[in-house]
DNA sequence: ACGCATCTATCGCTTAAACGACAGATTGCG
DNA sequence: CGCAATCTGTCGTTTAAGCGATAGATGCGT
């Protein structure tokens, strides 16, 4: 099963995605037409619709499969929730956002909502998984609520730190750690 | 007439040619298979034969249409045969050969015969054209013989200069100028 | 408001490229 | 040497992509 995919499909998909990344560095996403993308990709405009629903679908796939792949991968490799891992994730996100806002300064504003959604999904999923192992005595809903709170807080703090060019994350960590400490205490109680 | 060419043809052709250039920098031309080239180009092996007769046909087209295009263009822009233009052409050829032997050091040996043929054809054609204007009193065969002699001599001297890392072309120019001086004198006599 | 231009999304038809298979040639190793 | 593996060049068939036309949407200057 899962027969080999026709290489033309992969090639065309890559051509479109790479052309989109290239164009994102040159112009604003909102001014970008399908024609611009397909011309730059040396692909017919109609072919675009065999691969993507529209411009926004392309953006989402480029972000998750290409641009954000590395940082998502890095975030996912941690296994526990503690000061060290939170700090590392915080720095990864700040580094990524800084880099992308420099590379695609014209399109960055249009990208941020999608980036935000992807990051929060990944963070929530990871935190949830790790929390279940880390605090096995907590019930599901508590863990879900904690995961949501931590992921939103962490992401918000990362964005704030980036906008203020704050390179010292210790101050932000101080604000996040109480969330985790609470879980540690509660879990111990539940025994 | 001459309707637009299907863009797929151009794209596939470019993919193959660019993959070939890339591979030339990594491996020896003689060890390169069609499979190597088409795999690197993300193109089916059978498709190669829609565009090129064989590996050597591809080499010739890549040289004349891509790798050597700039230097051939530069050589062709001169209009007269004199010390200045000959010196300029000499230096262009030496620069090109040095560059290509560094970039494709593994394949360079296999390339030289094709490069030689292309250069001598271009030189002969250019010299012949310029000579007709420059010495209108000379008959055709004399001009053709002169053009052949000068192009072969120039190319030979350039190659020799390159192998000996000779960066002073004045010595080589001294050997070539008599050919031209003879034509100048003969042409004056013919009046 | 108007018309004109451009863009989007989709259609049927055409065509270049992918695929697998093939026989014959080369290569290289025991 | 022999034989196995790989490469070459060419088939017929299948399929992804190109093309031109289309209707509707969006936008922009007058």
């Amino acid at each position: 099963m899962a027969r080999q995919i026709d290489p033309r499909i992969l090639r065309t998909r890559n051509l479109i995605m790479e052309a989109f990344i290239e164009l994102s560095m040159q112009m604003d996403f909102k001014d970008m037409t399908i024609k611009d993308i397909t011309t730059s990709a040396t692909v017919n405009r109609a072919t675009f619709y065999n691969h993507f629903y529209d411009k926004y679908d392309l953006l989402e796939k480029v972000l998750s499969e290409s641009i954000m792949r590395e940082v998502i991968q890095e975030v996912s490799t941690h296994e526990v929730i503690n000061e060290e891992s939170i700090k590392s994730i915080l720095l990864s996100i700040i580094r990524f956002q800084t880099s992308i806002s420099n590379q695609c300064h014209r399109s960055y504003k249009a990208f941020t909502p999608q980036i935000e959604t992807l990051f929060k999904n990944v963070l929530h999923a990871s935190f949830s998984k790790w929390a279940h192992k880390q605090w096995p005595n907590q019930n599901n809903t508590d863990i879900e609520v904690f995961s949501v709170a931590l992921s939103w807080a962490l992401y918000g703090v990362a964005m704030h730190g980036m906008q203020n060019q704050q390179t010292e994350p210790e101050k932000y960590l101080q604000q996040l750690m109480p969330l985790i400490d609470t879980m540690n205490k509660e879990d111990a109680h539940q025994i």
Side-chain angles (χ1 to χ4, degrees), chain A:
Chain A
M1 62 279 280
R3 281 217 340 281
Q4 274 302 54
I5 301 173
D6 190 317
R8 282 175 291 185
I9 298 177
L10 299 174
R11 191 182 58 206
T12 299
R13 215 180 124 89
N14 280 335
L15 285 171
I16 293 173
M17 292 174 85
E18 279 166 27
F20 175 78
I21 293 173
E22 187 63 32
L23 274 183
S24 300
M25 301 180 183
Q26 297 166 16
M27 66 190 297
D28 192 339
F29 176 77
K30 74 176 190 312
D31 300 327
M32 211 182 288
T33 68
I34 309 292
K35 186 97 195 75
D36 291 332
I37 298 166
T38 54
T39 299
S40 165
T42 64
V43 155
N44 190 275
R45 201 171 63 82
T47 305
F48 176 90
Y49 297 100
N50 295 341
H51 295 264
F52 305 99
Y53 182 75
D54 60 12
K55 208 169 62 159
Y56 303 93
D57 181 42
L58 170 61
L59 168 59
E60 188 191 311
K61 283 167 176 162
V62 166
L63 284 173
S64 58
E65 295 174 26
S66 170
I67 296 180
M68 293 176 64
R69 221 197 48 213
E70 197 182 339
V71 64
I72 287 176
Q73 169 69 19
E74 190 189 327
V75 165
S76 307
T77 49
H78 296 277
E79 287 297 334
V80 291
I81 301 169
N82 56 27
E83 190 160 342
E84 182 272 331
S85 62
I86 296 297
K87 182 176 173 182
S88 165
I89 291 170
L90 203 55
L91 290 175
S92 295
I93 293 175
I94 292 174
R95 234 183 302 117
F96 170 77
Q97 294 275 9
T98 307
S99 159
I100 199 77
S101 74
N102 288 334
Q103 288 233 312
C104 306
H105 62 284
R106 287 205 170 76
S107 292
Y108 177 65
K109 260 191 68 179
F111 287 4
T112 44
Q114 303 273 8
I115 293 176
E116 186 178 321
T117 303
L118 279 165
F119 262 132
K120 284 193 303 215
N121 285 343
V122 169
L123 291 174
H124 180 207
S126 296
F127 289 156
S128 179
K129 197 179 83 183
W130 304 337
H132 270 103
K133 285 189 195 161
Q134 195 160 343
W135 301 297
N137 299 322
Q138 290 293 328
N139 65 52
N140 270 357
T141 52
D142 284 358
I143 283 188
E144 289 309 306
V145 170
F146 162 78
S147 303
V148 169
L150 182 57
S151 56
W152 283 62
L154 190 154
Y155 190 77
V157 154
M159 293 305 287
H160 185 266
M162 203 197 75
Q163 279 159 4
N164 298 30
Q165 298 288 12
Q166 176 63 277
T167 53
E168 301 291 337
E170 273 70 21
K171 198 162 271 177
Y172 301 118
L173 266 177
Q174 283 176 19
Q175 301 300 317
L176 297 175
M177 287 312 291
L179 280 166
I180 297 162
D181 293 337
T182 306
M183 282 299 274
N184 280 328
K185 281 177 198 153
E186 280 185 15
D187 192 64
H189 262 286
Q190 300 289 340
I191 300 176

